[in-house]
Amino acid sequence: MMEALRDLSPPPRLLMGPGPINIDPRVARALSMPMLGQFDPEFTRYMNDVMVLLRQLLRTENRWSLLVDGSARAGIEAILTSMITPGDRVLVPVFGRFGLLLCEIARRCRADVRFIETEWGTVFEPEQLEAAIRQHRPKIVAVVHGDTSTTMAQPLEELGAICRRYSAFLFVDATATVGGMDLRMDEWQIDALSAGLQKCLSGPPGSAPISFNDRVATLVLQRKHIEKGIEPEAFTPAEGEIIQSNYFDLPMLMDYWSESRLNHHTQATAMLYAARECLRIVLTEGLSACFKRHAAVSASLTAGLRAMGLELFGDQRHKMANVTGVVIPEGVDGDAVRHAMLEDFGIEIGSSFGPLHGRIWRIGTMGYNCRKQNVLICLAALEACLRRQGYAVKPGAAVDAALTEGFQ
Ligand SMILES: Cc1ncc(COP(=O)(O)O)c(C=O)c1O
């Protein structure tokens, strides 16, 4: 038999990296539900459910809370491509790889991109952000909430108000924090936000929840054009420059997700079921219970890591609740440890990018995987792999510390 015809049989893995993670079985079940036509009244009801649930998750009243088909960066691209008219100035505070991604996407939208940087492992003070906004006077500030590459979370509580003072829009990439850390879109005056399913929402990659307020809706509607084959008779295109992407055109997506249900792409049916289930799972647990669980499990993981004499990476005051950076100790081959974790224990942990490649491991405790058992299993496996590399650890210390310090 041809190699490519063999049965699909992925090995069982415990995904304790920075995402994707093992999906909740309820989401797997939703993914296997029967197809419906995209204008079937039951399906459009599911679309409306997603909008309602997404508003609750993001703590927003935004009418425009919907899904973009594609991985998390599809959400980022839809928002930035629709908001940025070529030549617009965009400021990106960069504190890791995903800030660089925002610069890169904004550049492809032909923005005049300005950025400020801070050492990876640190975040910005509100005063630094305000000074940069004052200096560059951007139309849009685009920032990551939790940058999984460094495991740091940028505090955002004050940034929205600062942006309003300088008449800038605030866009936040919350892919890695939604469902794991507190996020208040309206209270924090975030104008547009994008996320993904494959981290704290316990789903697979492939759907990007987004939300934006009326300020953003007004902005993008100034560029509203509708593709010829579906254009209503009386429609006059807006004065603004046409949005260069059809797929990521927010005004057309707004028509698709509103009562007019004007056909755009074919909604990824199974991903919509999955997204709806992800949202139901988090909201049924309750947002504050869910954040508490992420914080407690992370505390237990860090207690265990410290008990092995390992150093945590970055400014711990700003560590994400759902991903932990661990400095690879001197004399230990980081990749060999990761491979042993995978080969011998079936556990995946992450390495990192750029300046942090080979310097840190990243351990995720997110969504469905954010549980006591997984932390204990992961610590026990890591200890064994480290000892085989000649790193001296008191046997059992990590699990003991995680049990006694983390889970009271
Ligand atoms: C903060 C952040 N933004 C964006 C992305 C990109 O997501 P995707 O790979 O789903 O496009 C990731 C993925 O890890 C991320 O952590």
Side-chain angles (χ1 to χ4, degrees), residues 167-234:
S167 304
F169 290 94
L170 175 60
F171 161 68
V172 172
D173 168 12
T175 303
T177 44
V178 155
M181 289 181 70
D182 197 13
L183 187 63
R184 297 161 186 264
M185 203 173 165
D186 288 357
E187 197 179 313
W188 297 355
Q189 298 183 297
I190 297 169
D191 294 299
L193 179 146
S194 67
L197 298 188
Q198 75 268 31
K199 298 183 195 280
C200 301
L201 297 183
S202 306
S207 179
I210 64 167
S211 181
F212 51 93
N213 61 16
D214 287 341
R215 280 160 47 93
V216 174
T218 305
L219 176 76
V220 299
L221 286 172
Q222 289 162 15
R223 302 173 71 190
K224 180 167 178 172
H225 290 67
I226 300 180
E227 62 185 69
K228 284 283 171 261
I230 55 167
E231 197 185 83
E233 241 172 55

Side-chain angles (χ1 to χ4, degrees), residues 18-20 70-76 97-99 101-102 144-149 173-177 194-199 205-208 320 323 353 362:
S71 71
R73 74 184 60 204
I76 301 173
R97 180 220 159 159
F98 290 103
L101 174 66
L102 297 184
V144 175
H145 186 205
D147 197 313
T148 43
S149 69
D173 168 12
T175 303
T177 44
S194 67
L197 298 188
Q198 75 268 31
K199 298 183 195 280
S207 179
M320 290 168 70
V323 196
F353 307 101
R362 292 174 301 153

